[in-house]
Structures are given as C-alpha cells and as structure tokens.
mmCIF file of all heavy atoms in Angstrom:
data_model
loop_
_atom_site.group_PDB
_atom_site.id
_atom_site.type_symbol
_atom_site.label_atom_id
_atom_site.label_comp_id
_atom_site.label_asym_id
_atom_site.label_seq_id
_atom_site.Cartn_x
_atom_site.Cartn_y
_atom_site.Cartn_z
ATOM 1 N N ILE A 1 93.099 105.259 95.378
ATOM 2 C CA ILE A 1 92.513 106.341 96.328
ATOM 3 C C ILE A 1 93.531 106.730 97.315
ATOM 4 O O ILE A 1 93.705 107.958 97.579
ATOM 5 C CB ILE A 1 91.224 105.804 96.945
ATOM 6 C CG1 ILE A 1 90.113 105.638 95.909
ATOM 7 C CG2 ILE A 1 90.769 106.710 98.039
ATOM 8 C CD1 ILE A 1 88.917 104.857 96.320
ATOM 9 N N ASN A 2 94.252 105.830 97.898
ATOM 10 C CA ASN A 2 95.228 106.208 98.844
ATOM 11 C C ASN A 2 96.374 107.023 98.300
ATOM 12 O O ASN A 2 96.821 107.982 98.947
ATOM 13 C CB ASN A 2 95.874 104.905 99.509
ATOM 14 C CG ASN A 2 95.015 104.309 100.571
ATOM 15 O OD1 ASN A 2 94.066 104.909 101.153
ATOM 16 N ND2 ASN A 2 95.316 103.037 100.886
ATOM 17 N N MET A 3 96.749 106.746 97.152
ATOM 18 C CA MET A 3 97.826 107.495 96.383
ATOM 19 C C MET A 3 97.302 108.870 96.106
ATOM 20 O O MET A 3 98.159 109.833 96.242
ATOM 21 C CB MET A 3 98.243 106.734 95.103
ATOM 22 C CG MET A 3 99.437 107.356 94.540
ATOM 23 S SD MET A 3 100.156 106.414 93.207
ATOM 24 C CE MET A 3 100.945 105.209 94.083
ATOM 25 N N ALA A 4 96.048 109.002 95.663
ATOM 26 C CA ALA A 4 95.487 110.341 95.375
ATOM 27 C C ALA A 4 95.523 111.221 96.676
ATOM 28 O O ALA A 4 95.926 112.390 96.707
ATOM 29 C CB ALA A 4 94.159 110.201 94.830
ATOM 30 N N GLN A 5 95.174 110.551 97.781
ATOM 31 C CA GLN A 5 95.089 111.349 99.005
ATOM 32 C C GLN A 5 96.452 111.626 99.528
ATOM 33 O O GLN A 5 96.754 112.812 99.981
ATOM 34 C CB GLN A 5 94.475 110.419 100.066
ATOM 35 C CG GLN A 5 92.940 110.296 99.886
ATOM 36 C CD GLN A 5 92.329 109.177 100.764
ATOM 37 O OE1 GLN A 5 92.955 108.276 101.146
ATOM 38 N NE2 GLN A 5 90.993 109.281 101.035
ATOM 39 N N THR A 6 97.396 110.797 99.385
ATOM 40 C CA THR A 6 98.846 111.079 99.630
ATOM 41 C C THR A 6 99.347 112.202 98.868
ATOM 42 O O THR A 6 100.045 113.052 99.332
ATOM 43 C CB THR A 6 99.760 109.805 99.463
ATOM 44 O OG1 THR A 6 99.176 108.793 100.373
ATOM 45 C CG2 THR A 6 101.150 110.071 99.745
ATOM 46 N N THR A 7 99.076 112.230 97.507
ATOM 47 C CA THR A 7 99.531 113.311 96.641
ATOM 48 C C THR A 7 98.968 114.649 97.161
ATOM 49 O O THR A 7 99.692 115.648 97.149
ATOM 50 C CB THR A 7 99.112 112.996 95.188
ATOM 51 O OG1 THR A 7 99.579 111.742 94.839
ATOM 52 C CG2 THR A 7 99.646 114.118 94.244
ATOM 53 N N LEU A 8 97.680 114.741 97.521
ATOM 54 C CA LEU A 8 97.226 115.935 98.037
ATOM 55 C C LEU A 8 97.807 116.332 99.324
ATOM 56 O O LEU A 8 98.036 117.584 99.545
ATOM 57 C CB LEU A 8 95.563 115.663 98.234
ATOM 58 C CG LEU A 8 94.754 115.682 97.097
ATOM 59 C CD1 LEU A 8 93.290 115.367 97.395
ATOM 60 C CD2 LEU A 8 94.771 117.083 96.421
ATOM 61 N N VAL A 9 98.244 115.423 100.169
ATOM 62 C CA VAL A 9 98.993 115.821 101.376
ATOM 63 C C VAL A 9 100.395 116.375 100.945
ATOM 64 O O VAL A 9 100.795 117.417 101.567
ATOM 65 C CB VAL A 9 99.193 114.553 102.261
ATOM 66 C CG1 VAL A 9 100.228 114.905 103.359
ATOM 67 C CG2 VAL A 9 97.933 114.202 102.931
ATOM 68 N N HIS A 10 100.983 115.810 99.921
ATOM 69 C CA HIS A 10 102.299 116.381 99.482
ATOM 70 C C HIS A 10 102.015 117.746 98.777
ATOM 71 O O HIS A 10 102.887 118.662 99.052
ATOM 72 C CB HIS A 10 102.865 115.484 98.319
ATOM 73 C CG HIS A 10 103.344 114.193 98.932
ATOM 74 N ND1 HIS A 10 103.590 113.073 98.152
ATOM 75 C CD2 HIS A 10 103.754 113.871 100.165
ATOM 76 C CE1 HIS A 10 104.014 112.099 98.835
ATOM 77 N NE2 HIS A 10 104.172 112.542 100.059
ATOM 78 N N ILE A 11 100.998 117.982 98.130
ATOM 79 C CA ILE A 11 100.711 119.350 97.672
ATOM 80 C C ILE A 11 100.438 120.387 98.756
ATOM 81 O O ILE A 11 101.111 121.422 98.738
ATOM 82 C CB ILE A 11 99.397 119.231 96.661
ATOM 83 C CG1 ILE A 11 99.809 118.548 95.386
ATOM 84 C CG2 ILE A 11 98.993 120.687 96.338
ATOM 85 C CD1 ILE A 11 98.571 118.155 94.518
ATOM 86 N N ARG A 12 99.709 119.995 99.665
ATOM 87 C CA ARG A 12 99.437 120.912 100.828
ATOM 88 C C ARG A 12 100.715 121.223 101.519
ATOM 89 O O ARG A 12 100.924 122.421 102.008
ATOM 90 C CB ARG A 12 98.350 120.368 101.757
ATOM 91 C CG ARG A 12 96.975 120.285 101.119
ATOM 92 C CD ARG A 12 95.891 119.773 101.975
ATOM 93 N NE ARG A 12 94.770 119.625 101.236
ATOM 94 C CZ ARG A 12 93.993 118.553 101.013
ATOM 95 N NH1 ARG A 12 94.522 117.367 101.475
ATOM 96 N NH2 ARG A 12 92.899 118.455 100.301
ATOM 97 N N LYS A 13 101.588 120.251 101.784
ATOM 98 C CA LYS A 13 102.788 120.513 102.486
ATOM 99 C C LYS A 13 103.720 121.368 101.695
ATOM 100 O O LYS A 13 104.280 122.342 102.193
ATOM 101 C CB LYS A 13 103.552 119.054 102.645
ATOM 102 C CG LYS A 13 104.752 119.215 103.570
ATOM 103 C CD LYS A 13 105.525 117.901 103.624
ATOM 104 C CE LYS A 13 104.943 117.022 104.643
ATOM 105 N NZ LYS A 13 105.673 115.810 104.848
ATOM 106 N N LEU A 14 103.789 121.223 100.335
ATOM 107 C CA LEU A 14 104.594 122.047 99.468
ATOM 108 C C LEU A 14 103.998 123.466 99.567
ATOM 109 O O LEU A 14 104.806 124.437 99.570
ATOM 110 C CB LEU A 14 104.592 121.606 98.023
ATOM 111 C CG LEU A 14 105.401 122.386 97.090
ATOM 112 C CD1 LEU A 14 106.808 122.471 97.451
ATOM 113 C CD2 LEU A 14 105.236 121.727 95.594
ATOM 114 N N ARG A 15 102.708 123.610 99.546
ATOM 115 C CA ARG A 15 102.135 124.967 99.418
ATOM 116 C C ARG A 15 102.447 125.741 100.732
ATOM 117 O O ARG A 15 102.479 126.975 100.672
ATOM 118 C CB ARG A 15 100.642 124.823 99.363
ATOM 119 C CG ARG A 15 100.281 124.449 97.818
ATOM 120 C CD ARG A 15 98.859 124.532 97.493
ATOM 121 N NE ARG A 15 98.523 125.917 97.429
ATOM 122 C CZ ARG A 15 97.342 126.361 97.231
ATOM 123 N NH1 ARG A 15 96.440 125.557 96.851
ATOM 124 N NH2 ARG A 15 97.073 127.614 97.185
ATOM 125 N N THR A 16 102.660 125.037 101.820
ATOM 126 C CA THR A 16 103.050 125.803 103.045
ATOM 127 C C THR A 16 104.452 126.382 102.955
ATOM 128 O O THR A 16 104.851 127.329 103.681
ATOM 129 C CB THR A 16 102.992 124.936 104.346
ATOM 130 O OG1 THR A 16 103.941 123.867 104.197
ATOM 131 C CG2 THR A 16 101.559 124.384 104.515
ATOM 132 N N LYS A 17 105.345 125.805 102.070
ATOM 133 C CA LYS A 17 106.717 126.259 101.961
ATOM 134 C C LYS A 17 106.825 127.366 100.890
ATOM 135 O O LYS A 17 107.780 128.036 100.851
ATOM 136 C CB LYS A 17 107.548 124.990 101.538
ATOM 137 C CG LYS A 17 107.656 123.937 102.589
ATOM 138 C CD LYS A 17 108.496 122.756 102.128
ATOM 139 C CE LYS A 17 108.545 121.704 103.138
ATOM 140 N NZ LYS A 17 109.253 120.499 102.694
ATOM 141 N N LEU A 18 105.747 127.484 100.104
ATOM 142 C CA LEU A 18 105.840 128.555 98.984
ATOM 143 C C LEU A 18 105.223 129.833 99.490
ATOM 144 O O LEU A 18 104.412 129.842 100.391
ATOM 145 C CB LEU A 18 105.082 128.033 97.759
ATOM 146 C CG LEU A 18 105.621 126.754 97.107
ATOM 147 C CD1 LEU A 18 104.532 126.315 96.007
ATOM 148 C CD2 LEU A 18 106.976 127.048 96.477
ATOM 149 N N PRO A 19 105.616 130.916 98.779
ATOM 150 C CA PRO A 19 104.951 132.227 99.132
ATOM 151 C C PRO A 19 103.441 132.015 98.852
ATOM 152 O O PRO A 19 103.085 131.221 98.150
ATOM 153 C CB PRO A 19 105.616 133.236 98.226
ATOM 154 C CG PRO A 19 106.916 132.544 97.722
ATOM 155 C CD PRO A 19 106.726 131.060 97.800
ATOM 156 N N VAL A 20 102.664 132.912 99.462
ATOM 157 C CA VAL A 20 101.217 132.875 99.279
ATOM 158 C C VAL A 20 100.945 132.842 97.749
ATOM 159 O O VAL A 20 101.454 133.797 96.979
ATOM 160 C CB VAL A 20 100.425 134.050 100.042
ATOM 161 C CG1 VAL A 20 99.022 133.980 99.648
ATOM 162 C CG2 VAL A 20 100.770 133.872 101.461
ATOM 163 N N ALA A 21 100.132 131.924 97.375
ATOM 164 C CA ALA A 21 99.797 131.760 95.864
ATOM 165 C C ALA A 21 98.794 132.870 95.546
ATOM 166 O O ALA A 21 97.914 133.235 96.232
ATOM 167 C CB ALA A 21 99.225 130.463 95.643
ATOM 168 N N PRO A 22 98.923 133.339 94.234
ATOM 169 C CA PRO A 22 97.928 134.265 93.764
ATOM 170 C C PRO A 22 96.625 133.552 93.521
ATOM 171 O O PRO A 22 96.670 132.239 93.463
ATOM 172 C CB PRO A 22 98.474 134.672 92.406
ATOM 173 C CG PRO A 22 99.505 133.682 92.010
ATOM 174 C CD PRO A 22 99.960 133.057 93.310
ATOM 175 N N GLN A 23 95.573 134.132 93.570
ATOM 176 C CA GLN A 23 94.176 133.554 93.414
ATOM 177 C C GLN A 23 94.169 133.094 91.881
ATOM 178 O O GLN A 23 94.222 133.861 90.984
ATOM 179 C CB GLN A 23 93.140 134.544 93.634
ATOM 180 C CG GLN A 23 91.742 133.917 93.598
ATOM 181 C CD GLN A 23 91.478 132.982 94.657
ATOM 182 O OE1 GLN A 23 92.088 132.969 95.725
ATOM 183 N NE2 GLN A 23 90.727 131.906 94.375
ATOM 184 N N ILE A 24 94.073 131.796 91.778
ATOM 185 C CA ILE A 24 94.024 131.133 90.455
ATOM 186 C C ILE A 24 92.775 130.295 90.406
ATOM 187 O O ILE A 24 92.585 129.393 91.209
ATOM 188 C CB ILE A 24 95.224 130.300 90.153
ATOM 189 C CG1 ILE A 24 96.536 131.133 90.220
ATOM 190 C CG2 ILE A 24 95.127 129.560 88.766
ATOM 191 C CD1 ILE A 24 97.800 130.323 90.075
ATOM 192 N N ASP A 25 91.879 130.502 89.352
ATOM 193 C CA ASP A 25 90.762 129.613 89.210
ATOM 194 C C ASP A 25 91.097 128.645 88.091
ATOM 195 O O ASP A 25 91.507 129.017 87.008
ATOM 196 C CB ASP A 25 89.538 130.528 88.842
ATOM 197 C CG ASP A 25 89.031 131.318 89.961
ATOM 198 O OD1 ASP A 25 89.118 130.897 91.147
ATOM 199 O OD2 ASP A 25 88.519 132.466 89.762
ATOM 200 N N VAL A 26 90.876 127.352 88.445
ATOM 201 C CA VAL A 26 91.029 126.328 87.413
ATOM 202 C C VAL A 26 89.837 125.518 87.400
ATOM 203 O O VAL A 26 89.075 125.432 88.345
ATOM 204 C CB VAL A 26 92.296 125.533 87.810
ATOM 205 C CG1 VAL A 26 93.614 126.289 87.648
ATOM 206 C CG2 VAL A 26 92.196 124.870 89.072
ATOM 207 N N SER A 27 89.617 124.945 86.319
ATOM 208 C CA SER A 27 88.445 124.052 86.077
ATOM 209 C C SER A 27 88.998 122.686 85.711
ATOM 210 O O SER A 27 90.023 122.571 85.008
ATOM 211 C CB SER A 27 87.461 124.595 85.164
ATOM 212 O OG SER A 27 88.028 124.644 83.842
ATOM 213 N N SER A 28 88.379 121.723 86.236
ATOM 214 C CA SER A 28 88.825 120.287 85.807
ATOM 215 C C SER A 28 87.885 119.798 84.825
ATOM 216 O O SER A 28 86.657 120.026 84.805
ATOM 217 C CB SER A 28 88.677 119.420 87.122
ATOM 218 O OG SER A 28 89.680 119.777 87.978
ATOM 219 N N PRO A 29 88.412 118.904 83.933
ATOM 220 C CA PRO A 29 87.542 118.230 82.942
ATOM 221 C C PRO A 29 86.712 117.260 83.694
ATOM 222 O O PRO A 29 87.025 116.868 84.798
ATOM 223 C CB PRO A 29 88.496 117.579 81.977
ATOM 224 C CG PRO A 29 89.876 117.540 82.716
ATOM 225 C CD PRO A 29 89.806 118.648 83.768
ATOM 226 N N SER A 30 85.666 116.806 83.099
ATOM 227 C CA SER A 30 84.729 115.870 83.759
ATOM 228 C C SER A 30 85.458 114.577 83.906
ATOM 229 O O SER A 30 86.270 114.145 83.171
ATOM 230 C CB SER A 30 83.454 115.660 82.935
ATOM 231 O OG SER A 30 83.730 115.124 81.670
ATOM 232 N N ILE A 31 85.092 113.875 84.966
ATOM 233 C CA ILE A 31 85.669 112.585 85.287
ATOM 234 C C ILE A 31 84.493 111.542 85.028
ATOM 235 O O ILE A 31 83.567 111.479 85.668
ATOM 236 C CB ILE A 31 86.032 112.584 86.786
ATOM 237 C CG1 ILE A 31 87.150 113.571 87.046
ATOM 238 C CG2 ILE A 31 86.421 111.151 87.201
ATOM 239 C CD1 ILE A 31 87.476 113.745 88.482
ATOM 240 N N GLU A 32 84.773 110.854 83.838
ATOM 241 C CA GLU A 32 83.704 109.965 83.303
ATOM 242 C C GLU A 32 84.067 108.491 83.689
ATOM 243 O O GLU A 32 83.107 107.719 83.763
ATOM 244 C CB GLU A 32 83.635 110.190 81.843
ATOM 245 C CG GLU A 32 83.224 111.564 81.421
ATOM 246 C CD GLU A 32 83.408 111.873 79.961
ATOM 247 O OE1 GLU A 32 83.862 110.923 79.246
ATOM 248 O OE2 GLU A 32 83.297 112.989 79.583
ATOM 249 N N GLY A 33 85.304 108.163 83.740
ATOM 250 C CA GLY A 33 85.660 106.776 83.958
ATOM 251 C C GLY A 33 87.150 106.616 83.856
ATOM 252 O O GLY A 33 87.888 107.553 83.816
ATOM 253 N N LEU A 34 87.597 105.315 83.909
ATOM 254 C CA LEU A 34 89.094 105.164 83.827
ATOM 255 C C LEU A 34 89.786 105.684 82.679
ATOM 256 O O LEU A 34 90.951 106.183 82.771
ATOM 257 C CB LEU A 34 89.319 103.585 83.894
ATOM 258 C CG LEU A 34 88.882 102.906 85.289
ATOM 259 C CD1 LEU A 34 88.824 101.482 85.172
ATOM 260 C CD2 LEU A 34 89.944 103.351 86.367
ATOM 261 N N THR A 35 89.144 105.573 81.526
ATOM 262 C CA THR A 35 89.730 106.175 80.219
ATOM 263 C C THR A 35 90.084 107.601 80.457
ATOM 264 O O THR A 35 91.201 108.038 80.192
ATOM 265 C CB THR A 35 88.866 105.951 79.089
ATOM 266 O OG1 THR A 35 88.711 104.502 78.955
ATOM 267 C CG2 THR A 35 89.524 106.454 77.786
ATOM 268 N N SER A 36 89.089 108.406 80.865
ATOM 269 C CA SER A 36 89.299 109.828 81.041
ATOM 270 C C SER A 36 90.276 110.240 82.160
ATOM 271 O O SER A 36 91.072 111.108 82.020
ATOM 272 C CB SER A 36 88.013 110.584 81.149
ATOM 273 O OG SER A 36 87.397 110.291 82.432
ATOM 274 N N ILE A 37 90.176 109.483 83.158
ATOM 275 C CA ILE A 37 91.068 109.647 84.384
ATOM 276 C C ILE A 37 92.504 109.410 83.936
ATOM 277 O O ILE A 37 93.444 110.278 84.220
ATOM 278 C CB ILE A 37 90.688 108.748 85.582
ATOM 279 C CG1 ILE A 37 89.372 109.132 86.086
ATOM 280 C CG2 ILE A 37 91.740 108.885 86.669
ATOM 281 C CD1 ILE A 37 88.722 108.150 87.063
ATOM 282 N N SER A 38 92.816 108.340 83.255
ATOM 283 C CA SER A 38 94.101 108.043 82.791
ATOM 284 C C SER A 38 94.561 109.173 81.824
ATOM 285 O O SER A 38 95.781 109.532 81.958
ATOM 286 C CB SER A 38 94.138 106.710 82.047
ATOM 287 O OG SER A 38 95.374 106.418 81.506
ATOM 288 N N ARG A 39 93.759 109.570 80.882
ATOM 289 C CA ARG A 39 94.254 110.595 79.999
ATOM 290 C C ARG A 39 94.612 111.906 80.770
ATOM 291 O O ARG A 39 95.595 112.536 80.480
ATOM 292 C CB ARG A 39 93.065 110.897 79.018
ATOM 293 C CG ARG A 39 93.357 111.996 77.944
ATOM 294 C CD ARG A 39 92.170 112.341 77.041
ATOM 295 N NE ARG A 39 91.103 112.887 77.704
ATOM 296 C CZ ARG A 39 89.955 112.286 77.884
ATOM 297 N NH1 ARG A 39 89.698 111.155 77.349
ATOM 298 N NH2 ARG A 39 88.972 112.840 78.655
ATOM 299 N N GLU A 40 93.715 112.365 81.706
ATOM 300 C CA GLU A 40 93.944 113.623 82.336
ATOM 301 C C GLU A 40 95.109 113.500 83.173
ATOM 302 O O GLU A 40 95.940 114.438 83.266
ATOM 303 C CB GLU A 40 92.721 113.978 83.099
ATOM 304 C CG GLU A 40 91.479 114.428 82.276
ATOM 305 C CD GLU A 40 91.898 115.473 81.214
ATOM 306 O OE1 GLU A 40 92.596 116.423 81.590
ATOM 307 O OE2 GLU A 40 91.372 115.355 80.153
#
C-alpha cells in the first residue's frame, strides 16, 4: 500500500513537469485479488 501511494506521488510530480495532458479516458480492469493485481 505504501509503495502504491509513493508511485502515485511520483506520477503527480511528473505530471507537473509535463505539458498539460490531453483529456484521456481510461478504464481499469476489475481488481479481484492478488492474481489479477499481479497480472495487471
């Protein structure tokens, strides 16, 4: 959980350095358990 939160902080920091992103809609696959999380 800590690592996922840290990665999100890294993403937000990188996004501040990039030009404004175009509007992109993405969908995530369902999160069912460890097997699906590892695969994704």
